[in-house]
Amino acid sequence: PLQTFRGLLRELRHASGRPYRDTPAYQHIVATFRAHRVTSQKLCRAQQELHFQAATYLCLLRSVREHTALHREYHGKGERSPEEVAGLVGFRLPQQPGGKG
């Protein structure tokens, strides 16, 4: 659960333009994790549910960030030459004899 908590805070830091500790999302995550911590006086079945939901939300945040980065890199550049397309996927076009191409 601690690793998931830290991952959520890391994603919040990436997502927000301002200091992330001032955001309502940060305050909600911290309050929820504190409310569901296990003590010696109770068996907290809800903690397993909280950890599952937090891990799912962390996966969503990471996926959205990675999707945005891929979208920014590959979308909207217009028509590309065959050489550019080959370079994107890691290939080189064959050279024609006589120095052409």
Side-chain angles (χ1 to χ4, degrees):
L2 183 60
Q3 186 177 11
T4 305
F5 179 71
R6 287 179 179 164
L8 282 170
L9 296 183
R10 190 176 312 116
E11 290 301 321
L12 278 177
R13 194 174 329 128
H14 286 298
S16 65
R18 58 185 183 171
Y20 70 98
R21 291 180 188 251
D22 298 336
T23 62
Y26 171 80
Q27 294 166 1
H28 174 73
I29 289 171
V30 170
T32 305
F33 267 86
R34 283 186 182 150
H36 287 85
R37 68 180 159 207
V38 176
T39 64
S40 61
Q41 298 167 355
K42 66 178 181 177
L43 173 65
C44 186
R45 185 177 296 162
Q47 185 192 24
Q48 300 301 326
E49 182 180 341
L50 171 73
H51 184 255
F52 175 75
Q53 288 177 350
T56 304
Y57 188 58
L58 175 59
C59 180
L60 171 76
L61 288 175
R62 280 186 185 150
S63 298
V64 167
R65 180 174 49 88
E66 291 171 1
H67 173 265
T68 304
L70 287 172
H71 184 76
R72 207 177 303 123
E73 184 174 346
Y74 292 109
H75 189 265
K77 301 232 176 169
E79 189 69 27
R80 296 182 182 197
S81 68
E83 291 83 13
E84 281 183 281
V85 174
L88 282 176
V89 294
F91 294 118
R92 268 192 0 228
L93 292 179
Q95 299 292 323
Q96 293 183 353
K100 260 188 144 177

XYZ file of all heavy atoms in Angstrom:
815
model
N 0.804 -1.218 0.000
C 0.000 0.000 0.000
C 0.843 1.277 0.000
O 0.456 2.248 -0.616
C -0.812 -0.102 1.279
C -0.907 -1.557 1.550
C 0.368 -2.144 1.027
N 1.991 1.250 0.661
C 2.835 2.444 0.698
C 3.383 2.776 -0.690
O 3.436 3.942 -1.078
C 3.986 2.254 1.690
C 4.900 3.453 1.889
C 4.098 4.644 2.421
C 6.027 3.117 2.828
N 3.748 1.748 -1.435
C 4.260 1.976 -2.789
C 3.168 2.558 -3.685
O 3.431 3.447 -4.503
C 4.785 0.666 -3.364
C 5.463 0.817 -4.696
C 6.038 -0.502 -5.193
O 5.760 -1.562 -4.643
N 6.822 -0.433 -6.232
N 1.941 2.088 -3.523
C 0.820 2.625 -4.288
C 0.564 4.073 -3.905
O 0.325 4.927 -4.759
C -0.443 1.779 -4.047
O -0.150 0.418 -4.343
C -1.592 2.252 -4.907
N 0.624 4.365 -2.614
C 0.427 5.725 -2.129
C 1.469 6.668 -2.719
O 1.148 7.745 -3.223
C 0.502 5.731 -0.594
C 0.342 7.085 0.025
C -0.880 7.733 0.016
C 1.421 7.715 0.628
C -1.029 8.978 0.592
C 1.282 8.952 1.209
C 0.052 9.589 1.192
N 2.721 6.249 -2.702
C 3.784 7.082 -3.270
C 3.622 7.256 -4.779
O 3.887 8.324 -5.321
C 5.143 6.476 -2.963
C 5.534 6.632 -1.518
C 6.873 6.008 -1.237
N 7.235 6.191 0.157
C 8.186 5.516 0.766
N 8.881 4.620 0.102
N 8.450 5.731 2.028
N 3.190 6.197 -5.455
C 2.948 6.292 -6.885
C 1.840 7.280 -7.206
O 1.929 8.056 -8.158
N 0.767 7.265 -6.400
C -0.317 8.229 -6.597
C 0.180 9.659 -6.416
O -0.161 10.554 -7.196
C -1.456 7.949 -5.616
C -2.367 6.782 -5.969
C -3.285 6.467 -4.799
C -3.167 7.080 -7.205
N 0.990 9.886 -5.396
C 1.521 11.233 -5.174
C 2.439 11.656 -6.314
O 2.428 12.820 -6.731
C 2.256 11.297 -3.836
C 1.395 11.072 -2.599
C 2.230 11.239 -1.339
C 0.196 11.989 -2.575
N 3.207 10.720 -6.853
C 4.089 11.028 -7.985
C 3.267 11.432 -9.211
O 3.594 12.397 -9.900
C 4.945 9.804 -8.297
C 6.049 10.059 -9.280
C 6.937 8.832 -9.495
N 7.369 8.219 -8.247
C 7.031 6.981 -7.851
N 6.276 6.225 -8.608
N 7.463 6.504 -6.705
N 2.187 10.703 -9.467
C 1.336 11.038 -10.607
C 0.625 12.367 -10.402
O 0.429 13.128 -11.352
C 0.321 9.928 -10.866
C 0.942 8.663 -11.399
C 1.684 8.853 -12.707
O 1.212 9.613 -13.570
O 2.748 8.239 -12.871
N 0.229 12.672 -9.177
C -0.377 13.979 -8.894
C 0.617 15.103 -9.158
O 0.257 16.163 -9.667
C -0.853 14.053 -7.446
C -2.198 13.424 -7.143
C -2.494 13.524 -5.648
C -3.306 14.070 -7.926
N 1.863 14.865 -8.804
C 2.905 15.870 -9.048
C 3.057 16.125 -10.541
O 3.208 17.259 -10.978
C 4.225 15.388 -8.453
C 5.269 16.454 -8.350
C 6.523 15.995 -7.618
N 6.254 14.994 -6.609
C 6.892 13.810 -6.528
N 7.837 13.505 -7.379
N 6.604 12.934 -5.591
N 2.997 15.055 -11.350
C 3.094 15.215 -12.802
C 1.877 15.927 -13.370
O 1.989 16.716 -14.312
C 3.230 13.852 -13.490
C 4.573 13.221 -13.334
N 5.724 13.780 -13.820
C 4.947 12.064 -12.737
C 6.743 13.006 -13.534
N 6.299 11.954 -12.876
N 0.709 15.642 -12.813
C -0.543 16.135 -13.390
C -0.825 17.602 -13.061
O -1.420 18.310 -13.871
C -1.707 15.281 -12.918
N -0.417 18.048 -11.881
C -0.795 19.406 -11.491
C 0.316 20.395 -11.814
O 1.493 20.096 -11.703
C -1.109 19.460 -9.993
O 0.045 19.196 -9.242
N -0.094 21.578 -12.220
C 0.879 22.621 -12.532
C 1.305 23.389 -11.296
O 2.363 23.985 -11.246
N 0.485 23.353 -10.294
C 0.797 24.061 -9.048
C 1.292 23.052 -8.020
O 1.300 21.851 -8.284
C -0.452 24.776 -8.551
C -1.608 23.849 -8.314
C -2.842 24.597 -7.934
N -3.892 23.613 -7.643
C -5.034 23.905 -7.125
N -5.318 25.131 -6.824
N -5.923 22.970 -6.892
N 1.698 23.511 -6.847
C 2.135 22.552 -5.822
C 1.006 21.558 -5.518
O -0.111 21.950 -5.212
C 2.434 23.432 -4.607
C 2.730 24.770 -5.183
C 1.907 24.891 -6.429
N 1.312 20.286 -5.619
C 0.265 19.272 -5.538
C -0.286 19.091 -4.133
O -1.377 18.561 -3.961
C 0.766 17.937 -6.084
C 1.800 17.245 -5.224
C 1.428 16.240 -4.350
C 3.138 17.582 -5.304
C 2.363 15.600 -3.570
C 4.079 16.952 -4.543
C 3.685 15.955 -3.667
O 4.607 15.329 -2.898
N 0.418 19.542 -3.116
C -0.082 19.386 -1.746
C -1.260 20.311 -1.443
O -1.949 20.124 -0.452
C 1.034 19.632 -0.741
C 2.070 18.540 -0.786
C 3.179 18.802 0.210
N 4.259 17.861 0.029
C 4.520 16.881 0.888
N 3.799 16.737 1.968
N 5.502 16.051 0.652
N -1.491 21.293 -2.309
C -2.625 22.202 -2.116
C -3.884 21.709 -2.821
O -4.936 22.315 -2.670
C -2.274 23.593 -2.659
C -1.098 24.209 -1.923
O -0.850 23.825 -0.763
O -0.433 25.071 -2.512
N -3.791 20.626 -3.583
C -4.933 20.182 -4.363
C -5.899 19.363 -3.507
O -5.480 18.670 -2.574
C -4.485 19.320 -5.565
O -3.820 18.160 -5.067
C -3.564 20.101 -6.482
N -7.185 19.415 -3.829
C -8.162 18.585 -3.108
C -7.909 17.089 -3.307
O -8.192 16.293 -2.411
C -9.501 18.991 -3.722
C -9.277 20.320 -4.329
C -7.837 20.363 -4.731
N -7.364 16.702 -4.454
C -7.083 15.285 -4.703
C -6.044 14.769 -3.704
O -6.186 13.668 -3.165
C -6.588 15.090 -6.127
N -5.008 15.543 -3.451
C -3.975 15.140 -2.492
C -4.576 14.992 -1.106
O -4.332 14.002 -0.405
C -2.844 16.176 -2.477
C -1.848 15.954 -1.359
C -0.850 14.999 -1.481
C -1.910 16.687 -0.175
C 0.059 14.787 -0.462
C -1.007 16.481 0.843
C -0.019 15.533 0.693
O 0.875 15.308 1.700
N -5.359 15.967 -0.695
C -5.960 15.926 0.638
C -6.899 14.734 0.783
O -6.928 14.068 1.827
C -6.679 17.236 0.918
C -5.717 18.411 0.999
C -6.407 19.754 0.940
O -7.618 19.841 0.851
N -5.614 20.818 0.987
N -7.644 14.419 -0.277
C -8.550 13.275 -0.231
C -7.781 11.960 -0.135
O -8.144 11.080 0.654
C -9.451 13.270 -1.471
C -10.319 12.059 -1.569
N -11.406 11.862 -0.749
C -10.238 10.968 -2.365
C -11.964 10.702 -1.050
N -11.275 10.145 -2.030
N -6.726 11.828 -0.913
C -5.946 10.584 -0.900
C -5.302 10.367 0.465
O -5.368 9.268 1.026
C -4.881 10.606 -2.023
C -5.565 10.461 -3.380
C -3.856 9.502 -1.832
C -4.639 10.685 -4.556
N -4.718 11.401 1.028
C -4.075 11.277 2.336
C -5.108 10.933 3.406
O -4.891 10.034 4.237
C -3.310 12.563 2.689
C -2.842 12.546 4.130
C -2.127 12.736 1.754
N -6.246 11.620 3.391
C -7.282 11.355 4.398
C -7.828 9.933 4.273
O -8.058 9.255 5.284
C -8.408 12.369 4.248
N -8.004 9.462 3.052
C -8.537 8.113 2.852
C -7.544 7.053 3.301
O -7.920 6.087 3.966
C -8.892 7.904 1.367
O -9.793 8.934 0.962
C -9.543 6.560 1.147
N -6.268 7.233 2.982
C -5.266 6.259 3.426
C -5.143 6.262 4.944
O -4.964 5.216 5.558
C -3.906 6.542 2.769
C -3.697 5.775 1.499
C -4.152 6.277 0.288
C -3.058 4.554 1.502
C -3.967 5.576 -0.892
C -2.866 3.845 0.325
C -3.320 4.349 -0.865
N -5.229 7.423 5.564
C -5.159 7.475 7.038
C -6.375 6.812 7.674
O -6.257 6.167 8.709
C -5.049 8.919 7.503
C -3.668 9.474 7.328
C -3.547 10.851 7.928
N -2.205 11.355 7.688
C -1.901 12.629 7.544
N -2.847 13.545 7.624
N -0.667 13.006 7.328
N -7.532 6.989 7.074
C -8.750 6.415 7.647
C -8.780 4.900 7.532
O -9.433 4.228 8.332
C -9.974 7.003 6.957
N -8.069 4.332 6.575
C -8.111 2.893 6.346
C -6.851 2.163 6.790
O -6.660 1.006 6.410
C -8.380 2.610 4.861
C -9.777 2.903 4.454
N -10.177 4.161 4.089
C -10.873 2.109 4.374
C -11.450 4.135 3.794
N -11.895 2.911 3.954
N -6.013 2.777 7.563
C -4.826 2.047 8.015
C -5.227 1.033 9.091
O -6.182 1.227 9.846
C -3.743 2.987 8.498
C -4.072 3.711 9.750
C -2.953 4.623 10.169
N -3.573 5.612 11.048
C -3.153 6.807 11.237
N -2.071 7.206 10.632
N -3.778 7.627 12.032
N -4.480 -0.029 9.157
C -4.791 -1.117 10.075
C -4.187 -0.811 11.429
O -3.029 -0.424 11.544
C -4.230 -2.447 9.526
C -4.455 -3.566 10.517
C -4.869 -2.769 8.200
N -4.990 -0.989 12.448
C -4.495 -0.848 13.818
C -4.576 -2.217 14.483
O -5.133 -3.165 13.945
C -5.346 0.166 14.615
O -6.667 -0.348 14.734
C -5.369 1.511 13.921
N -4.057 -2.311 15.699
C -4.114 -3.586 16.409
C -5.507 -3.849 16.972
O -5.799 -4.945 17.412
C -3.087 -3.585 17.540
O -3.391 -2.538 18.449
N -6.376 -2.859 16.952
C -7.694 -3.005 17.559
C -8.756 -3.493 16.578
O -9.838 -3.876 16.989
C -8.140 -1.672 18.148
C -7.207 -1.198 19.240
C -7.458 0.253 19.591
O -8.254 0.909 18.957
N -6.770 0.727 20.612
N -8.482 -3.457 15.301
C -9.509 -3.872 14.356
C -8.883 -4.558 13.149
O -7.742 -4.289 12.785
C -10.331 -2.669 13.893
C -9.550 -1.654 13.081
C -10.438 -0.534 12.613
C -9.630 0.456 11.788
N -10.438 1.513 11.249
N -9.652 -5.416 12.560
C -9.267 -6.033 11.310
C -9.971 -5.250 10.219
O -11.192 -5.209 10.172
C -9.697 -7.498 11.267
C -9.483 -8.210 9.938
C -7.994 -8.302 9.636
C -10.097 -9.592 9.975
N -9.211 -4.620 9.359
C -9.800 -3.708 8.381
C -9.882 -4.386 7.024
O -8.911 -4.408 6.275
C -8.960 -2.435 8.315
S -9.691 -1.185 7.268
N -11.024 -4.962 6.734
C -11.215 -5.589 5.440
C -11.259 -4.534 4.338
O -10.906 -4.790 3.204
C -12.510 -6.389 5.437
C -12.711 -7.159 4.157
C -13.943 -8.004 4.185
N -13.824 -9.031 5.207
C -14.851 -9.698 5.707
N -16.060 -9.456 5.296
N -14.657 -10.623 6.616
N -11.699 -3.335 4.683
C -11.799 -2.269 3.688
C -10.427 -1.833 3.182
O -10.338 -1.221 2.132
C -12.542 -1.082 4.277
N -9.372 -2.149 3.925
C -8.039 -1.748 3.467
C -7.678 -2.464 2.170
O -7.075 -1.865 1.284
C -6.980 -2.040 4.512
C -5.624 -1.497 4.078
C -4.490 -1.995 4.914
O -4.592 -3.050 5.516
N -3.415 -1.259 4.945
N -8.052 -3.739 2.044
C -7.773 -4.457 0.802
C -8.522 -3.823 -0.363
O -7.987 -3.689 -1.452
C -8.170 -5.932 0.945
C -7.427 -6.652 2.039
C -5.923 -6.642 1.838
O -5.440 -6.680 0.706
N -5.176 -6.561 2.910
N -9.765 -3.431 -0.107
C -10.554 -2.762 -1.142
C -9.936 -1.412 -1.502
O -9.854 -1.050 -2.669
C -11.982 -2.574 -0.653
C -12.881 -1.929 -1.674
C -14.298 -1.746 -1.153
O -14.677 -2.415 -0.190
O -14.999 -0.909 -1.735
N -9.491 -0.674 -0.481
C -8.850 0.617 -0.726
C -7.595 0.433 -1.570
O -7.371 1.192 -2.505
C -8.495 1.304 0.590
C -7.629 2.550 0.450
C -8.456 3.702 -0.101
C -6.996 2.917 1.757
N -6.785 -0.567 -1.232
C -5.555 -0.781 -1.985
C -5.868 -1.137 -3.437
O -5.196 -0.659 -4.348
C -4.723 -1.882 -1.335
C -3.415 -2.080 -2.016
N -3.167 -3.146 -2.838
C -2.293 -1.326 -2.043
C -1.954 -3.058 -3.333
N -1.399 -1.966 -2.866
N -6.883 -1.951 -3.682
C -7.262 -2.299 -5.038
C -7.722 -1.062 -5.802
O -7.319 -0.838 -6.951
C -8.369 -3.352 -5.015
C -8.898 -3.683 -6.377
C -8.158 -4.464 -7.252
C -10.123 -3.205 -6.793
C -8.633 -4.767 -8.517
C -10.607 -3.495 -8.058
C -9.867 -4.278 -8.917
N -8.564 -0.242 -5.193
C -9.046 0.971 -5.852
C -7.903 1.946 -6.115
O -7.837 2.581 -7.176
C -10.121 1.650 -5.011
C -11.428 0.907 -5.003
C -12.446 1.566 -4.103
O -12.136 2.477 -3.336
N -13.685 1.102 -4.181
N -6.989 2.078 -5.156
C -5.853 2.986 -5.330
C -4.938 2.508 -6.460
O -4.471 3.312 -7.268
C -5.071 3.107 -4.026
N -4.694 1.201 -6.529
C -3.849 0.663 -7.591
C -4.517 0.853 -8.956
O -3.848 1.167 -9.948
C -3.563 -0.815 -7.344
N -5.830 0.701 -9.005
C -6.558 0.914 -10.251
C -6.483 2.372 -10.677
O -6.260 2.686 -11.850
C -8.026 0.483 -10.087
O -8.059 -0.884 -9.663
C -8.795 0.624 -11.386
N -6.650 3.285 -9.730
C -6.582 4.712 -10.025
C -5.172 5.109 -10.460
O -4.997 5.909 -11.379
C -7.024 5.516 -8.810
C -7.177 6.989 -9.073
C -8.036 7.459 -10.054
C -6.445 7.914 -8.352
C -8.170 8.805 -10.302
C -6.576 9.267 -8.590
C -7.434 9.701 -9.558
O -7.551 11.043 -9.818
N -4.167 4.526 -9.832
C -2.781 4.789 -10.212
C -2.534 4.333 -11.648
O -1.899 5.044 -12.434
C -1.829 4.077 -9.265
C -0.344 4.160 -9.584
C 0.135 5.594 -9.606
C 0.443 3.353 -8.563
N -3.044 3.172 -12.008
C -2.913 2.676 -13.377
C -3.583 3.634 -14.353
O -3.034 3.928 -15.418
C -3.513 1.287 -13.485
S -3.405 0.561 -15.124
N -4.750 4.141 -14.000
C -5.456 5.092 -14.851
C -4.641 6.371 -15.042
O -4.480 6.851 -16.160
C -6.821 5.431 -14.252
C -7.566 6.567 -14.941
C -8.154 6.093 -16.257
C -8.636 7.126 -14.055
N -4.099 6.923 -13.962
C -3.324 8.163 -14.059
C -2.085 7.980 -14.931
O -1.769 8.833 -15.764
C -2.923 8.653 -12.667
C -4.041 9.220 -11.807
C -3.512 9.545 -10.416
C -4.650 10.451 -12.439
N -1.378 6.866 -14.738
C -0.189 6.604 -15.556
C -0.558 6.444 -17.025
O 0.124 6.966 -17.906
C 0.511 5.335 -15.081
C 1.372 5.530 -13.890
C 2.141 4.273 -13.573
N 2.873 4.449 -12.340
C 3.156 3.475 -11.509
N 2.769 2.250 -11.768
N 3.824 3.718 -10.408
N -1.626 5.715 -17.278
C -2.037 5.475 -18.662
C -2.436 6.765 -19.359
O -2.100 6.977 -20.525
C -3.199 4.482 -18.700
O -2.808 3.250 -18.169
N -3.132 7.629 -18.649
C -3.542 8.911 -19.235
C -2.308 9.757 -19.549
O -2.211 10.363 -20.621
C -4.512 9.654 -18.304
C -4.696 11.097 -18.724
C -5.858 8.950 -18.277
N -1.348 9.786 -18.632
C -0.129 10.573 -18.857
C 0.658 10.037 -20.047
O 1.114 10.794 -20.910
C 0.746 10.563 -17.606
C 2.034 11.363 -17.746
C 2.803 11.459 -16.447
N 2.993 10.212 -15.767
C 4.016 9.374 -15.976
N 4.929 9.671 -16.858
N 4.115 8.251 -15.301
N 0.800 8.708 -20.127
C 1.540 8.112 -21.239
C 0.794 8.291 -22.557
O 1.425 8.524 -23.599
C 1.800 6.636 -20.957
C 2.791 6.421 -19.832
C 2.887 4.979 -19.397
O 2.192 4.116 -19.984
O 3.657 4.697 -18.466
N -0.529 8.191 -22.527
C -1.316 8.405 -23.744
C -1.152 9.831 -24.245
O -0.996 10.071 -25.449
C -2.789 8.113 -23.485
C -3.676 8.475 -24.631
N -4.321 9.683 -24.710
C -3.996 7.810 -25.764
C -5.008 9.739 -25.836
N -4.823 8.617 -26.492
N -1.174 10.786 -23.334
C -1.005 12.191 -23.716
C 0.368 12.419 -24.345
O 0.481 13.126 -25.349
C -1.191 13.102 -22.499
O -2.469 12.836 -21.918
C -1.112 14.560 -22.870
N 1.392 11.807 -23.781
C 2.741 11.955 -24.346
C 2.821 11.342 -25.739
O 3.393 11.952 -26.656
C 3.765 11.308 -23.418
N 2.248 10.162 -25.918
C 2.256 9.539 -27.249
C 1.439 10.341 -28.243
O 1.835 10.510 -29.400
C 1.702 8.115 -27.164
C 2.612 7.085 -26.518
C 1.862 5.784 -26.319
C 3.854 6.875 -27.357
N 0.311 10.851 -27.803
C -0.547 11.655 -28.677
C 0.180 12.921 -29.126
O 0.134 13.304 -30.285
C -1.833 12.009 -27.940
C -2.826 12.742 -28.774
N -3.590 12.116 -29.728
C -3.168 14.052 -28.819
C -4.374 13.004 -30.306
N -4.129 14.183 -29.773
N 0.868 13.551 -28.189
C 1.610 14.767 -28.506
C 2.736 14.472 -29.507
O 3.031 15.280 -30.378
C 2.195 15.344 -27.217
C 2.400 16.829 -27.251
C 2.915 17.390 -25.931
N 2.044 17.086 -24.807
C 2.435 16.441 -23.700
N 3.680 16.040 -23.562
N 1.589 16.199 -22.724
N 3.367 13.308 -29.370
C 4.505 12.988 -30.229
C 4.095 12.592 -31.646
O 4.719 12.998 -32.618
C 5.309 11.847 -29.617
C 6.561 11.525 -30.395
C 7.418 10.485 -29.694
O 7.186 10.222 -28.503
O 8.310 9.955 -30.352
N 3.016 11.817 -31.781
C 2.720 11.229 -33.079
C 1.502 11.813 -33.790
O 1.241 11.457 -34.923
C 2.497 9.720 -32.927
C 3.758 8.997 -32.554
C 3.920 8.474 -31.283
C 4.793 8.867 -33.459
C 5.080 7.809 -30.932
C 5.958 8.210 -33.120
C 6.095 7.687 -31.848
O 7.238 7.046 -31.509
N 0.743 12.658 -33.164
C -0.500 13.122 -33.780
C -0.353 14.517 -34.375
O 0.333 15.367 -33.832
C -1.625 13.146 -32.753
C -2.959 13.407 -33.343
N -3.506 14.655 -33.406
C -3.859 12.581 -33.914
C -4.686 14.588 -33.983
N -4.924 13.334 -34.296
N -1.021 14.727 -35.480
C -1.144 16.064 -36.034
C 0.075 16.626 -36.723
O 0.216 17.830 -36.842
N 0.952 15.784 -37.206
C 2.139 16.301 -37.880
C 1.936 16.384 -39.385
O 2.828 16.794 -40.104
C 3.336 15.402 -37.571
C 3.612 15.303 -36.097
C 5.021 15.619 -35.797
C 5.191 15.588 -34.288
N 6.496 15.638 -33.849
N 0.775 15.966 -39.881
C 0.506 16.047 -41.308
C 1.129 14.892 -42.068
O 1.524 13.880 -41.503
N 1.228 15.061 -43.358
C 1.786 14.027 -44.225
C 3.291 13.938 -44.005
O 3.996 14.944 -43.945
C 1.486 14.374 -45.684
C 1.818 13.292 -46.668
C 0.889 12.083 -46.550
O -0.254 12.254 -46.104
O 1.346 10.987 -46.879
N 3.791 12.724 -43.936
C 5.222 12.515 -43.727
C 5.815 11.808 -44.939
O 5.142 11.047 -45.622
C 5.458 11.669 -42.491
C 4.995 12.352 -41.238
C 5.279 11.510 -40.052
N 4.756 12.192 -38.862
C 5.106 11.903 -37.651
N 5.961 10.950 -37.423
N 4.605 12.559 -36.647
N 7.077 12.050 -45.131
C 7.773 11.380 -46.234
C 8.050 9.924 -45.838
O 8.082 9.591 -44.651
C 9.087 12.100 -46.533
O 9.982 11.921 -45.461
N 8.290 9.056 -46.825
C 8.601 7.660 -46.497
C 9.853 7.521 -45.628
O 9.931 6.628 -44.794
C 8.818 7.010 -47.868
C 8.023 7.853 -48.803
C 8.093 9.243 -48.256
N 10.817 8.417 -45.812
C 12.038 8.360 -44.999
C 11.728 8.655 -43.529
O 12.273 8.013 -42.630
C 13.085 9.360 -45.522
C 13.679 9.001 -46.867
C 12.793 9.441 -48.033
O 11.850 10.227 -47.826
O 13.036 8.962 -49.150
N 10.856 9.640 -43.294
C 10.479 9.967 -41.915
C 9.737 8.813 -41.251
O 9.993 8.477 -40.096
C 9.582 11.207 -41.886
C 10.301 12.521 -42.022
C 9.323 13.669 -41.896
O 8.627 13.964 -42.891
O 9.244 14.232 -40.798
N 8.816 8.213 -41.986
C 8.046 7.097 -41.445
C 8.961 5.923 -41.129
O 8.845 5.292 -40.078
C 6.925 6.679 -42.427
C 6.223 5.429 -41.941
C 5.931 7.808 -42.612
N 9.896 5.629 -42.025
C 10.837 4.540 -41.780
C 11.696 4.842 -40.560
O 11.977 3.951 -39.748
C 11.714 4.327 -43.011
N 12.088 6.087 -40.389
C 12.882 6.470 -39.220
C 12.111 6.336 -37.921
O 12.679 5.996 -36.879
N 10.805 6.590 -37.948
C 9.987 6.472 -36.738
C 9.948 5.042 -36.209
O 9.940 4.820 -35.002
C 8.551 6.936 -37.013
C 8.304 8.431 -37.055
C 6.866 8.718 -37.439
C 8.617 9.063 -35.712
N 9.909 4.076 -37.121
C 9.834 2.687 -36.685
C 11.206 2.023 -36.612
O 11.315 0.844 -36.306
C 8.884 1.865 -37.594
C 7.471 2.350 -37.451
C 9.317 1.904 -39.031
N 12.257 2.764 -36.919
C 13.610 2.250 -36.744
C 14.217 1.583 -37.968
O 15.135 0.784 -37.839
N 13.708 1.883 -39.136
C 14.260 1.314 -40.361
C 14.923 2.392 -41.196
O 14.713 3.574 -40.984
C 13.154 0.662 -41.219
C 12.542 -0.545 -40.571
C 11.189 -0.544 -40.244
C 13.296 -1.674 -40.287
C 10.621 -1.654 -39.651
C 12.725 -2.778 -39.709
C 11.383 -2.783 -39.391
N 15.742 1.944 -42.172
C 16.308 2.837 -43.172
C 15.879 2.335 -44.533
O 15.859 1.134 -44.785
C 17.832 2.813 -43.105
C 18.413 3.868 -42.221
C 19.906 4.023 -42.380
N 20.531 3.130 -43.343
C 21.610 2.408 -43.130
N 22.205 2.482 -41.974
N 22.111 1.645 -44.054
N 15.551 3.242 -45.415
C 15.184 2.836 -46.771
C 16.443 2.440 -47.518
O 17.519 3.032 -47.309
C 14.480 3.986 -47.505
C 13.111 4.348 -46.954
C 12.523 5.512 -47.749
C 12.172 3.164 -47.011
N 16.364 1.452 -48.402
C 17.541 1.036 -49.159
C 17.985 2.129 -50.129
O 17.174 2.880 -50.656
C 17.075 -0.223 -49.905
C 15.594 -0.134 -49.922
C 15.183 0.659 -48.731
N 19.284 2.206 -50.337
C 19.854 3.176 -51.278
C 19.876 2.581 -52.673
O 20.189 1.413 -52.847
C 21.284 3.534 -50.858
C 21.395 4.167 -49.482
C 20.772 5.547 -49.425
O 20.865 6.307 -50.384
N 20.124 5.851 -48.317
N 19.536 3.403 -53.649
C 19.574 2.937 -55.034
C 21.004 3.051 -55.568
O 21.747 3.950 -55.159
C 18.636 3.755 -55.902
C 17.171 3.532 -55.555
C 16.267 4.309 -56.490
O 16.721 5.103 -57.314
N 14.973 4.080 -56.342
N 21.377 2.174 -56.494
C 22.723 2.269 -57.079
C 22.885 3.570 -57.857
O 21.947 4.120 -58.388
C 22.801 1.085 -58.024
C 21.536 0.310 -57.874
C 20.626 1.055 -57.004
N 24.058 4.085 -57.876
C 24.350 5.322 -58.601
C 24.125 6.549 -57.751
O 24.121 7.666 -58.252
N 23.891 6.381 -56.432
C 23.757 7.533 -55.543
C 22.393 8.155 -55.541
O 22.180 9.187 -54.923
N 21.412 7.582 -56.267
C 20.067 8.143 -56.257
C 19.273 7.573 -55.095
O 19.326 6.403 -54.810
C 19.358 7.797 -57.560
C 19.359 8.902 -58.561
C 18.476 8.505 -59.683
C 17.763 9.734 -60.175
N 16.939 9.447 -61.311
N 18.502 8.428 -54.433
C 17.579 7.957 -53.426
C 18.132 7.766 -52.094
O 19.106 7.655 -51.582
